[in-house]
Coordinates of all heavy atoms in Angstrom, one line a residue:
M1 N 13.7 8.1 10.1 CA 13.9 7.9 8.7 C 13.5 9.2 8.0 O 12.4 9.7 8.2 CB 13.1 6.7 8.2 CG 13.3 6.4 6.7 SD 12.5 4.9 6.2 CE 13.7 3.7 6.8
S2 N 14.4 9.7 7.1 CA 14.0 11.0 6.4 C 13.2 10.7 5.2 O 13.3 9.6 4.5 CB 15.3 11.7 6.0 OG 16.1 10.8 5.2
K3 N 12.4 11.7 4.8 CA 11.5 11.6 3.6 C 12.3 11.6 2.3 O 13.4 12.2 2.2 CB 10.4 12.5 3.7 CG 10.7 14.0 3.6 CD 9.4 14.8 3.7 CE 9.6 16.3 3.5 NZ 8.4 17.0 3.6
L4 N 11.8 11.0 1.3 CA 12.4 10.9 0.0 C 12.2 12.1 -0.8 O 11.2 12.8 -0.6 CB 11.9 9.7 -0.7 CG 12.1 8.3 -0.1 CD1 11.3 7.2 -0.9 CD2 13.5 7.9 -0.1
S5 N 13.1 12.4 -1.7 CA 12.9 13.6 -2.6 C 11.9 13.1 -3.7 O 11.7 11.9 -3.9 CB 14.2 13.9 -3.3 OG 14.6 12.9 -4.2
E6 N 11.4 14.1 -4.4 CA 10.4 13.8 -5.5 C 11.1 12.9 -6.5 O 10.5 11.9 -7.0 CB 9.9 15.1 -6.1 CG 8.8 14.8 -7.2 CD 7.9 16.0 -7.3 OE1 7.9 16.9 -6.4 OE2 7.1 16.0 -8.3
K7 N 12.3 13.2 -6.8 CA 13.1 12.4 -7.8 C 13.2 10.9 -7.4 O 13.0 10.0 -8.2 CB 14.5 13.0 -8.0 CG 15.2 12.5 -9.2 CD 16.5 13.3 -9.5 CE 17.4 12.7 -10.5 NZ 18.9 13.0 -10.2
E8 N 13.5 10.7 -6.1 CA 13.7 9.4 -5.5 C 12.3 8.7 -5.6 O 12.2 7.5 -5.9 CB 14.2 9.5 -4.1 CG 15.6 9.9 -4.0 CD 16.1 10.2 -2.5 OE1 15.2 10.8 -1.8 OE2 17.2 9.9 -2.2
I9 N 11.3 9.4 -5.2 CA 9.9 8.8 -5.2 C 9.5 8.3 -6.6 O 9.1 7.1 -6.8 CB 8.9 9.8 -4.7 CG1 9.1 10.1 -3.2 CG2 7.4 9.2 -4.9 CD1 8.4 11.3 -2.8
V10 N 9.7 9.1 -7.6 CA 9.4 8.8 -9.0 C 10.2 7.6 -9.4 O 9.7 6.6 -10.0 CB 9.7 10.0 -9.9 CG1 9.6 9.6 -11.4 CG2 8.6 11.1 -9.6
K11 N 11.5 7.5 -9.0 CA 12.3 6.4 -9.3 C 11.8 5.1 -8.7 O 11.6 4.1 -9.4 CB 13.8 6.7 -8.8 CG 14.8 5.6 -9.2 CD 15.1 5.7 -10.7 CE 16.2 4.6 -11.0 NZ 16.0 4.1 -12.4
H12 N 11.4 5.1 -7.4 CA 10.9 3.9 -6.8 C 9.5 3.5 -7.4 O 9.2 2.3 -7.4 CB 10.7 4.2 -5.3 CG 12.0 4.2 -4.5 ND1 12.7 3.0 -4.3 CD2 12.6 5.1 -3.8 CE1 13.8 3.3 -3.6 NE2 13.8 4.6 -3.3
L13 N 8.8 4.5 -7.8 CA 7.4 4.1 -8.3 C 7.5 3.4 -9.7 O 6.5 2.9 -10.2 CB 6.5 5.4 -8.4 CG 6.1 5.9 -7.1 CD1 5.1 7.1 -7.3 CD2 5.4 4.9 -6.3
E14 N 8.7 3.4 -10.3 CA 8.9 2.6 -11.5 C 8.6 1.1 -11.2 O 8.2 0.3 -12.0 CB 10.3 2.8 -12.0 CG 10.5 4.1 -12.7 CD 12.0 4.4 -13.1 OE1 12.8 3.4 -12.9 OE2 12.3 5.5 -13.5
K15 N 8.9 0.7 -9.9 CA 8.6 -0.7 -9.5 C 7.2 -0.9 -9.1 O 6.7 -2.0 -8.8 CB 9.5 -1.0 -8.2 CG 11.0 -0.9 -8.5 CD 11.7 -1.4 -7.2 CE 11.4 -0.5 -6.1 NZ 12.5 0.3 -5.5
L16 N 6.4 0.3 -9.0 CA 5.0 0.2 -8.5 C 4.1 1.0 -9.5 O 3.5 2.0 -9.2 CB 5.0 0.9 -7.1 CG 5.7 0.2 -6.0 CD1 6.0 1.1 -4.9 CD2 4.9 -1.0 -5.5
P17 N 4.0 0.4 -10.7 CA 3.3 1.1 -11.8 C 1.8 1.4 -11.5 O 1.2 2.3 -12.1 CB 3.4 0.2 -13.0 CG 3.8 -1.1 -12.4 CD 4.5 -0.9 -11.2
E18 N 1.2 0.7 -10.5 CA -0.2 0.9 -10.2 C -0.4 1.9 -9.1 O -1.5 2.2 -8.7 CB -0.9 -0.4 -9.8 CG -0.8 -1.6 -10.8 CD -1.5 -1.2 -12.1 OE1 -2.6 -0.6 -12.0 OE2 -0.9 -1.3 -13.2
W19 N 0.7 2.5 -8.7 CA 0.6 3.5 -7.6 C 0.8 4.9 -8.1 O 1.7 5.1 -8.9 CB 1.6 3.1 -6.5 CG 1.3 1.8 -5.7 CD1 1.4 0.6 -6.2 CD2 0.9 1.7 -4.4 NE1 1.0 -0.3 -5.3 CE2 0.7 0.3 -4.1 CE3 0.6 2.6 -3.3 CZ2 0.2 -0.1 -2.9 CZ3 0.2 2.2 -2.1 CH2 0.0 0.8 -1.9
D20 N 0.1 5.8 -7.5 CA 0.2 7.2 -7.9 C 0.8 8.0 -6.7 O 0.7 7.6 -5.5 CB -1.2 7.9 -8.2 CG -1.9 7.1 -9.3 OD1 -1.2 6.8 -10.3 OD2 -3.1 6.7 -9.1
Y21 N 1.4 9.1 -7.0 CA 2.1 10.0 -6.0 C 1.4 11.3 -5.9 O 1.3 12.0 -7.0 CB 3.6 10.1 -6.3 CG 4.3 11.2 -5.7 CD1 4.2 11.5 -4.3 CD2 5.1 12.1 -6.5 CE1 4.9 12.5 -3.8 CE2 5.8 13.1 -5.9 CZ 5.7 13.4 -4.5 OH 6.3 14.4 -4.0
E22 N 0.8 11.6 -4.8 CA 0.1 12.9 -4.6 C 0.0 13.3 -3.1 O -0.1 12.4 -2.3 CB -1.3 12.7 -5.2 CG -2.1 14.0 -5.3 CD -3.5 13.8 -5.9 OE1 -3.9 12.6 -6.1 OE2 -4.2 14.8 -6.1
D23 N 0.2 14.6 -2.9 CA 0.0 15.1 -1.5 C 0.8 14.3 -0.5 O 0.3 13.8 0.5 CB -1.5 15.0 -1.1 CG -2.4 15.9 -2.0 OD1 -1.8 16.8 -2.6 OD2 -3.5 15.5 -2.1
D24 N 2.1 14.2 -0.8 CA 3.0 13.5 0.2 C 2.6 12.1 0.6 O 2.9 11.6 1.7 CB 3.1 14.3 1.5 CG 4.2 15.4 1.4 OD1 5.2 15.1 0.6 OD2 4.1 16.4 2.0
A25 N 1.9 11.4 -0.3 CA 1.6 10.0 -0.1 C 1.5 9.3 -1.4 O 1.5 9.9 -2.5 CB 0.2 9.9 0.6
I26 N 1.6 7.9 -1.3 CA 1.4 7.1 -2.6 C 0.1 6.4 -2.4 O -0.3 6.0 -1.3 CB 2.5 6.1 -2.8 CG1 2.8 5.2 -1.6 CG2 3.8 6.9 -3.2 CD1 3.9 4.2 -1.9
H27 N -0.7 6.3 -3.5 CA -2.0 5.8 -3.5 C -2.2 4.7 -4.5 O -1.6 4.7 -5.6 CB -3.0 6.9 -3.8 CG -2.8 8.2 -3.1 ND1 -3.4 8.5 -1.9 CD2 -2.0 9.2 -3.5 CE1 -3.0 9.7 -1.6 NE2 -2.2 10.2 -2.5
T28 N -3.1 3.7 -4.2 CA -3.6 2.8 -5.3 C -5.0 2.3 -4.9 O -5.4 2.5 -3.8 CB -2.6 1.6 -5.4 OG1 -2.9 1.0 -6.7 CG2 -2.8 0.6 -4.3
E29 N -5.6 1.7 -5.9 CA -7.0 1.2 -5.6 C -7.0 -0.3 -6.2 O -6.5 -0.5 -7.3 CB -8.0 2.0 -6.3 CG -9.5 1.4 -6.2 CD -10.5 2.3 -6.8 OE1 -10.9 3.4 -6.1 OE2 -11.0 2.0 -7.9
Y30 N -7.5 -1.2 -5.4 CA -7.6 -2.6 -5.9 C -9.1 -3.0 -6.0 O -9.9 -2.6 -5.1 CB -7.0 -3.6 -4.9 CG -5.5 -3.4 -4.8 CD1 -4.9 -3.0 -3.6 CD2 -4.6 -3.7 -5.9 CE1 -3.5 -2.9 -3.5 CE2 -3.2 -3.6 -5.7 CZ -2.7 -3.1 -4.5 OH -1.3 -3.0 -4.4
E31 N -9.5 -3.7 -7.0 CA -10.8 -4.2 -7.1 C -10.8 -5.8 -7.1 O -10.1 -6.3 -8.0 CB -11.6 -3.7 -8.4 CG -13.0 -4.2 -8.4 CD -13.8 -3.5 -9.6 OE1 -13.3 -2.5 -10.1 OE2 -14.9 -4.0 -9.9
F32 N -11.4 -6.4 -6.1 CA -11.4 -7.9 -6.0 C -12.7 -8.5 -6.6 O -13.6 -7.7 -6.9 CB -11.2 -8.2 -4.5 CG -9.9 -7.8 -3.9 CD1 -9.7 -6.5 -3.5 CD2 -8.8 -8.7 -3.9 CE1 -8.5 -6.1 -2.9 CE2 -7.6 -8.3 -3.4 CZ -7.4 -7.0 -2.9
N33 N -12.7 -9.8 -6.6 CA -13.9 -10.5 -7.2 C -15.1 -10.3 -6.3 O -16.2 -10.3 -6.7 CB -13.6 -12.0 -7.4 CG -12.6 -12.2 -8.5 OD1 -12.5 -11.4 -9.5 ND2 -11.8 -13.2 -8.4
N34 N -14.8 -10.1 -5.0 CA -15.9 -10.1 -4.0 C -15.4 -9.5 -2.7 O -14.2 -9.3 -2.5 CB -16.6 -11.4 -3.8 CG -15.5 -12.5 -3.4 OD1 -14.8 -12.3 -2.5 ND2 -15.5 -13.6 -4.2
F35 N -16.3 -9.3 -1.7 CA -15.9 -8.7 -0.4 C -15.0 -9.7 0.3 O -14.0 -9.2 0.9 CB -17.2 -8.4 0.4 CG -16.9 -8.0 1.8 CD1 -16.4 -6.7 2.0 CD2 -17.0 -8.8 2.9 CE1 -16.1 -6.2 3.3 CE2 -16.7 -8.4 4.2 CZ -16.3 -7.1 4.4
K36 N -15.3 -11.0 0.3 CA -14.5 -11.9 1.0 C -13.0 -11.9 0.6 O -12.1 -11.8 1.4 CB -15.1 -13.3 0.8 CG -14.3 -14.5 1.5 CD -15.0 -15.8 1.2 CE -14.8 -16.2 -0.2 NZ -13.4 -16.5 -0.6
D37 N -12.8 -11.8 -0.7 CA -11.4 -11.8 -1.2 C -10.7 -10.5 -0.8 O -9.6 -10.4 -0.4 CB -11.3 -11.9 -2.7 CG -11.7 -13.3 -3.2 OD1 -11.9 -14.2 -2.3 OD2 -11.9 -13.5 -4.4
C38 N -11.5 -9.4 -0.8 CA -11.0 -8.1 -0.4 C -10.6 -8.1 1.0 O -9.5 -7.7 1.4 CB -12.0 -7.0 -0.7 SG -11.4 -5.3 -0.4
F39 N -11.5 -8.6 1.9 CA -11.2 -8.6 3.3 C -10.1 -9.5 3.7 O -9.3 -9.2 4.6 CB -12.5 -8.9 4.1 CG -12.4 -8.6 5.6 CD1 -12.5 -7.2 6.0 CD2 -12.2 -9.6 6.5 CE1 -12.4 -6.9 7.3 CE2 -12.0 -9.3 7.8 CZ -12.1 -7.9 8.3
S40 N -10.0 -10.6 3.0 CA -8.9 -11.6 3.2 C -7.6 -10.9 3.0 O -6.7 -11.0 3.8 CB -9.1 -12.8 2.3 OG -8.0 -13.6 2.4
A41 N -7.5 -10.2 1.9 CA -6.3 -9.4 1.6 C -6.0 -8.4 2.6 O -4.9 -8.2 3.1 CB -6.4 -8.8 0.2
M42 N -7.0 -7.7 3.1 CA -6.9 -6.7 4.1 C -6.3 -7.3 5.4 O -5.5 -6.7 6.1 CB -8.2 -5.9 4.4 CG -8.7 -5.1 3.2 SD -10.3 -4.3 3.5 CE -9.8 -3.1 4.7
S43 N -6.8 -8.5 5.7 CA -6.4 -9.1 6.9 C -4.9 -9.5 6.8 O -4.1 -9.2 7.8 CB -7.2 -10.4 7.2 OG -8.6 -10.1 7.3
R44 N -4.5 -10.0 5.7 CA -3.1 -10.4 5.5 C -2.2 -9.2 5.5 O -1.1 -9.1 6.1 CB -3.0 -11.2 4.2 CG -3.7 -12.5 4.2 CD -3.6 -13.2 2.9 NE -2.3 -13.5 2.5 CZ -2.0 -14.0 1.2 NH1 -3.0 -14.2 0.4 NH2 -0.8 -14.2 0.9
I45 N -2.7 -8.1 4.9 CA -1.9 -6.8 4.9 C -1.7 -6.3 6.3 O -0.7 -5.9 6.7 CB -2.6 -5.8 4.0 CG1 -2.5 -6.3 2.5 CG2 -2.0 -4.4 4.1 CD1 -3.4 -5.5 1.6
A46 N -2.8 -6.4 7.1 CA -2.8 -5.9 8.4 C -1.7 -6.5 9.3 O -1.0 -5.8 10.0 CB -4.2 -6.1 9.1
F47 N -1.5 -7.8 9.1 CA -0.5 -8.5 9.9 C 0.9 -8.0 9.5 O 1.8 -7.9 10.3 CB -0.7 -10.0 9.8 CG -1.7 -10.6 10.7 CD1 -3.0 -10.8 10.1 CD2 -1.5 -10.7 12.0 CE1 -4.0 -11.3 10.9 CE2 -2.6 -11.2 12.9 CZ -3.8 -11.5 12.3
E48 N 1.1 -7.8 8.2 CA 2.4 -7.3 7.7 C 2.6 -5.9 8.2 O 3.8 -5.6 8.5 CB 2.4 -7.3 6.1 CG 2.4 -8.7 5.5 CD 3.6 -9.5 5.9 OE1 4.7 -8.9 6.1 OE2 3.6 -10.8 5.9
C49 N 1.6 -5.1 8.2 CA 1.8 -3.7 8.8 C 2.2 -3.8 10.2 O 3.1 -3.0 10.6 CB 0.4 -3.0 8.7 SG -0.1 -2.6 7.0
E50 N 1.6 -4.6 11.0 CA 2.0 -4.8 12.4 C 3.5 -5.2 12.5 O 4.3 -4.7 13.3 CB 1.1 -5.8 13.1 CG -0.1 -5.2 13.7 CD 0.2 -4.0 14.6 OE1 0.7 -4.3 15.7 OE2 -0.1 -2.9 14.2
A51 N 3.9 -6.2 11.6 CA 5.2 -6.7 11.6 C 6.2 -5.6 11.3 O 7.3 -5.5 11.8 CB 5.4 -7.8 10.7
L52 N 5.8 -4.7 10.4 CA 6.7 -3.6 9.9 C 6.5 -2.3 10.8 O 7.2 -1.3 10.7 CB 6.4 -3.2 8.5 CG 6.7 -4.3 7.4 CD1 6.1 -3.9 6.1 CD2 8.2 -4.4 7.3
N53 N 5.5 -2.3 11.7 CA 5.2 -1.2 12.5 C 5.0 0.0 11.5 O 5.5 1.2 11.8 CB 6.2 -0.8 13.6 CG 5.7 0.3 14.5 OD1 4.5 0.3 14.7 ND2 6.6 1.1 14.9
H54 N 4.2 -0.2 10.5 CA 4.0 0.9 9.5 C 2.6 0.6 8.9 O 2.3 -0.5 8.5 CB 5.0 0.9 8.4 CG 5.1 2.1 7.6 ND1 5.6 3.3 8.2 CD2 4.7 2.5 6.4 CE1 5.5 4.3 7.3 NE2 5.0 3.8 6.2
H55 N 1.7 1.6 9.0 CA 0.3 1.4 8.8 C -0.3 2.2 7.8 O 0.1 3.4 7.6 CB -0.5 1.6 10.2 CG 0.1 0.7 11.2 ND1 1.2 1.0 12.0 CD2 -0.3 -0.5 11.7 CE1 1.5 0.1 12.9 NE2 0.6 -0.9 12.7
P56 N -1.3 1.7 7.0 CA -1.9 2.5 5.9 C -3.0 3.3 6.3 O -3.6 3.1 7.4 CB -2.4 1.3 5.0 CG -2.8 0.3 6.0 CD -1.8 0.4 7.1
D57 N -3.3 4.3 5.5 CA -4.6 5.0 5.6 C -5.4 4.3 4.5 O -5.0 4.4 3.3 CB -4.4 6.5 5.3 CG -3.5 7.2 6.3 OD1 -3.9 7.2 7.5 OD2 -2.4 7.6 5.9
W58 N -6.5 3.6 4.8 CA -7.2 2.8 3.8 C -8.7 2.8 4.0 O -9.2 3.1 5.1 CB -6.6 1.4 3.7 CG -6.6 0.6 4.9 CD1 -7.0 1.0 6.2 CD2 -6.2 -0.8 5.0 NE1 -6.8 -0.1 7.1 CE2 -6.3 -1.2 6.4 CE3 -5.7 -1.7 4.1 CZ2 -6.0 -2.5 6.8 CZ3 -5.4 -3.0 4.5 CH2 -5.5 -3.4 5.9
S59 N -9.4 2.5 2.9 CA -10.9 2.4 3.0 C -11.3 1.3 2.1 O -10.7 1.0 1.1 CB -11.5 3.7 2.6 OG -11.3 3.9 1.2
N60 N -12.4 0.6 2.6 CA -12.9 -0.5 1.8 C -14.4 -0.3 1.5 O -15.2 0.1 2.4 CB -12.8 -1.8 2.7 CG -13.7 -2.9 2.3 OD1 -14.6 -3.3 3.1 ND2 -13.6 -3.4 1.0
S61 N -14.8 -0.5 0.3 CA -16.2 -0.5 -0.1 C -16.5 -1.7 -0.9 O -16.1 -1.9 -2.0 CB -16.5 0.8 -0.9 OG -17.9 0.8 -1.3
Y62 N -17.3 -2.7 -0.2 CA -17.6 -4.0 -0.8 C -16.3 -4.7 -1.3 O -15.5 -5.1 -0.6 CB -18.7 -3.8 -1.9 CG -19.0 -5.2 -2.6 CD1 -19.3 -6.3 -1.8 CD2 -18.9 -5.3 -4.0 CE1 -19.6 -7.5 -2.4 CE2 -19.2 -6.5 -4.5 CZ -19.6 -7.6 -3.8 OH -19.8 -8.8 -4.3
N63 N -16.0 -4.7 -2.7 CA -14.9 -5.4 -3.2 C -13.7 -4.5 -3.6 O -12.8 -4.9 -4.3 CB -15.3 -6.3 -4.4 CG -15.8 -5.4 -5.6 OD1 -16.3 -4.3 -5.4 ND2 -15.5 -5.9 -6.8
V64 N -13.8 -3.2 -3.2 CA -12.8 -2.2 -3.6 C -12.0 -1.8 -2.4 O -12.6 -1.5 -1.3 CB -13.5 -1.0 -4.3 CG1 -12.4 0.1 -4.6 CG2 -14.2 -1.4 -5.6
L65 N -10.7 -1.7 -2.5 CA -9.8 -1.3 -1.4 C -9.0 -0.2 -1.9 O -8.3 -0.3 -2.9 CB -8.9 -2.5 -1.0 CG -7.8 -2.2 -0.1 CD1 -8.3 -1.7 1.3 CD2 -6.9 -3.5 0.2
N66 N -9.1 1.0 -1.2 CA -8.2 2.2 -1.5 C -7.2 2.3 -0.4 O -7.5 2.2 0.8 CB -9.1 3.4 -1.6 CG -9.7 3.7 -3.0 OD1 -9.0 4.1 -3.8 ND2 -10.9 3.3 -3.2
I67 N -5.9 2.4 -0.8 CA -4.8 2.5 0.1 C -4.0 3.7 -0.1 O -3.6 4.0 -1.3 CB -3.9 1.3 0.0 CG1 -4.7 0.0 0.2 CG2 -2.8 1.4 1.0 CD1 -3.8 -1.3 0.2
S68 N -3.7 4.5 0.9 CA -2.7 5.6 0.9 C -1.6 5.3 1.9 O -1.9 4.8 3.0 CB -3.3 6.9 1.2 OG -4.2 7.3 0.2
L69 N -0.3 5.5 1.5 CA 0.8 5.3 2.4 C 1.6 6.5 2.5 O 2.0 7.2 1.5 CB 1.7 4.1 1.8 CG 1.0 2.8 1.7 CD1 2.0 1.8 1.1 CD2 0.5 2.2 3.0
T70 N 1.9 6.9 3.7 CA 2.8 8.0 4.0 C 3.4 7.7 5.4 O 2.9 7.0 6.2 CB 2.1 9.4 4.0 OG1 3.1 10.4 4.1 CG2 1.1 9.5 5.2
T71 N 4.5 8.4 5.6 CA 5.2 8.2 7.0 C 4.9 9.4 7.8 O 5.5 10.4 7.6 CB 6.7 7.9 6.8 OG1 6.9 6.8 6.0 CG2 7.3 7.7 8.2
H72 N 3.9 9.2 8.7 CA 3.4 10.4 9.5 C 4.6 11.0 10.3 O 4.7 12.2 10.4 CB 2.3 9.9 10.4 CG 1.1 9.3 9.6 ND1 0.3 10.1 8.8 CD2 0.7 8.1 9.5 CE1 -0.6 9.3 8.3 NE2 -0.4 8.1 8.7
D73 N 5.4 10.1 10.9 CA 6.5 10.6 11.7 C 7.5 11.5 10.9 O 8.2 12.4 11.4 CB 7.3 9.5 12.3 CG 6.5 8.6 13.2 OD1 5.4 9.1 13.7 OD2 6.9 7.5 13.6
A74 N 7.6 11.3 9.5 CA 8.5 12.0 8.7 C 7.9 13.1 7.9 O 8.5 13.9 7.2 CB 9.2 11.0 7.7
G75 N 6.5 13.1 7.9 CA 5.8 14.1 7.2 C 5.9 14.0 5.7 O 5.8 15.0 4.9
G76 N 6.1 12.7 5.3 CA 6.2 12.5 3.8 C 6.4 11.1 3.5 O 6.3 10.2 4.4
I77 N 6.9 10.8 2.3 CA 7.1 9.4 1.8 C 8.5 9.0 2.2 O 9.5 9.7 1.8 CB 6.8 9.3 0.3 CG1 5.3 9.7 0.0 CG2 7.1 7.9 -0.2 CD1 5.1 10.0 -1.4
T78 N 8.6 7.8 2.8 CA 9.9 7.3 3.1 C 10.1 5.9 2.5 O 9.1 5.3 1.9 CB 10.2 7.1 4.6 OG1 9.3 6.1 5.1 CG2 9.9 8.5 5.3
L79 N 11.2 5.2 2.7 CA 11.4 3.9 2.2 C 10.4 2.9 2.8 O 10.1 1.9 2.3 CB 12.9 3.4 2.4 CG 13.9 4.0 1.5 CD1 15.3 3.6 1.9 CD2 13.6 3.6 0.0
K80 N 10.0 3.2 4.0 CA 9.0 2.4 4.7 C 7.7 2.3 3.9 O 7.1 1.2 3.8 CB 8.6 2.9 6.1 CG 9.7 2.8 7.1 CD 9.2 3.3 8.5 CE 10.3 3.1 9.5 NZ 9.8 3.6 10.9
D81 N 7.3 3.4 3.2 CA 6.1 3.4 2.4 C 6.3 2.5 1.1 O 5.5 1.8 0.7 CB 5.7 4.8 2.0 CG 5.4 5.6 3.3 OD1 4.5 5.2 4.1 OD2 6.1 6.6 3.5
I82 N 7.5 2.7 0.5 CA 7.8 1.9 -0.7 C 7.9 0.4 -0.4 O 7.3 -0.4 -1.1 CB 9.2 2.4 -1.2 CG1 9.2 3.9 -1.5 CG2 9.6 1.5 -2.5 CD1 8.2 4.4 -2.5
K83 N 8.5 0.1 0.8 CA 8.6 -1.3 1.2 C 7.2 -1.9 1.4 O 6.9 -3.0 0.9 CB 9.5 -1.5 2.4 CG 9.6 -2.9 2.9 CD 10.6 -3.0 4.1 CE 10.6 -4.3 4.8 NZ 10.9 -5.5 3.9
L84 N 6.4 -1.2 2.2 CA 5.0 -1.7 2.5 C 4.2 -1.8 1.2 O 3.5 -2.8 1.0 CB 4.3 -0.8 3.5 CG 2.9 -1.2 3.9 CD1 2.9 -2.7 4.3 CD2 2.3 -0.3 4.9
A85 N 4.4 -0.9 0.3 CA 3.6 -1.0 -1.0 C 4.0 -2.2 -1.8 O 3.2 -3.0 -2.3 CB 3.9 0.3 -1.9
L86 N 5.3 -2.6 -1.8 CA 5.8 -3.8 -2.5 C 5.2 -5.0 -1.8 O 4.8 -6.0 -2.5 CB 7.3 -3.8 -2.5 CG 8.0 -2.8 -3.4 CD1 9.5 -2.6 -3.1 CD2 7.7 -3.1 -4.9
V87 N 5.2 -5.0 -0.5 CA 4.6 -6.2 0.3 C 3.1 -6.3 -0.1 O 2.6 -7.4 -0.3 CB 4.8 -6.0 1.8 CG1 4.0 -6.9 2.6 CG2 6.3 -6.1 2.2
I88 N 2.4 -5.2 -0.1 CA 1.0 -5.2 -0.4 C 0.8 -5.7 -1.8 O -0.1 -6.6 -2.1 CB 0.4 -3.8 -0.3 CG1 0.3 -3.4 1.2 CG2 -1.0 -3.7 -0.9 CD1 0.0 -1.9 1.5
E89 N 1.6 -5.3 -2.8 CA 1.5 -5.8 -4.2 C 1.6 -7.3 -4.2 O 0.8 -8.0 -4.9 CB 2.6 -5.2 -5.0 CG 2.3 -3.8 -5.4 CD 1.2 -3.6 -6.5 OE1 1.4 -4.1 -7.6 OE2 0.1 -3.1 -6.2
G90 N 2.5 -7.9 -3.4 CA 2.7 -9.3 -3.4 C 1.5 -10.1 -2.8 O 1.1 -11.1 -3.4
I91 N 1.0 -9.5 -1.8 CA -0.2 -10.1 -1.1 C -1.4 -10.1 -2.1 O -2.1 -11.1 -2.3 CB -0.6 -9.4 0.2 CG1 0.5 -9.7 1.2 CG2 -2.0 -9.8 0.7 CD1 0.4 -8.9 2.5
V92 N -1.6 -8.9 -2.7 CA -2.8 -8.8 -3.6 C -2.6 -9.7 -4.8 O -3.6 -10.4 -5.2 CB -3.0 -7.3 -4.1 CG1 -4.0 -7.2 -5.2 CG2 -3.4 -6.5 -2.9
E93 N -1.4 -9.8 -5.3 CA -1.2 -10.7 -6.5 C -1.5 -12.2 -6.1 O -2.2 -12.9 -6.9 CB 0.3 -10.6 -6.8 CG 0.6 -10.9 -8.3 CD 2.1 -10.6 -8.6 OE1 2.4 -9.4 -8.6 OE2 2.9 -11.5 -8.7
E94 N -1.1 -12.6 -4.9 CA -1.4 -14.0 -4.5 C -2.9 -14.1 -4.3 O -3.5 -15.1 -4.7 CB -0.8 -14.2 -3.1 CG 0.7 -14.6 -3.2 CD 1.3 -14.6 -1.8 OE1 0.5 -14.8 -0.8 OE2 2.5 -14.5 -1.7
E95 N -3.6 -13.1 -3.7 CA -5.0 -13.2 -3.4 C -5.8 -13.3 -4.7 O -6.7 -14.1 -4.8 CB -5.4 -11.9 -2.7 CG -6.7 -12.0 -1.9 CD -6.7 -13.1 -0.8 OE1 -5.7 -13.1 0.0 OE2 -7.7 -13.8 -0.7
E96 N -5.4 -12.5 -5.7 CA -6.1 -12.6 -7.0 C -5.9 -13.9 -7.7 O -6.7 -14.3 -8.5 CB -5.6 -11.4 -7.9 CG -6.2 -10.1 -7.4 CD -5.6 -8.9 -8.1 OE1 -4.4 -9.0 -8.6 OE2 -6.2 -7.8 -8.0
E97 N -4.7 -14.6 -7.4 CA -4.4 -15.8 -8.1 C -5.2 -17.0 -7.6 O -5.4 -18.0 -8.2 CB -2.9 -16.1 -8.1 CG -2.2 -15.2 -9.1 CD -0.7 -15.2 -8.8 OE1 -0.2 -16.0 -7.9 OE2 0.0 -14.4 -9.4
E98 N -5.6 -16.9 -6.3 CA -6.2 -18.0 -5.6 C -7.6 -18.4 -6.2 O -8.2 -17.5 -6.7 CB -6.4 -17.7 -4.1 CG -5.1 -17.8 -3.3 CD -5.2 -17.3 -1.9 OE1 -6.3 -17.0 -1.4 OE2 -4.1 -17.3 -1.2
Ligands
LIG1 C1 5.2 5.7 17.3 C2 4.7 5.7 15.9 O1 3.3 5.8 15.8 C3 5.0 4.3 15.3 O2 6.4 4.3 15.2 C4 4.5 4.1 13.8 C5 3.2 3.4 13.8 N1 2.8 3.3 12.3 C6 3.1 4.3 11.5 N2 2.6 4.2 10.2 C7 2.8 5.2 9.4 N3 2.2 5.2 8.1 N4 3.5 6.3 9.7 C8 4.1 6.4 10.9 O3 4.9 7.4 11.2 C9 4.0 5.3 11.9 N5 4.6 5.3 13.1

């Protein structure tokens, strides 16, 4: 899969207002009510990543989750990153509503 142009990335990020684009990756940070909710979201995201065979660079500190997405094989941002970010948004939205 080839990497997206900067113009294409900016266009896709219109659907992902909480995500920033920097250094050939897209980034966001989530703050949950507590560690349990954060880890629960991480667990659900992990299974989706496996299903998509596309994995995040992420870090967790107590109730905060930082996620960066890039396609290592392509050396930049591809549709796989946009798709996974949309899936992650859906999971986090559900997690926050529970
Ligand atoms: C063989 C290669 O590692 C796999 O196709 C997948 C695994 N998960 C991946 N995840 C991400 N973010 N980028 C990749 O290029 C990638 N490649």
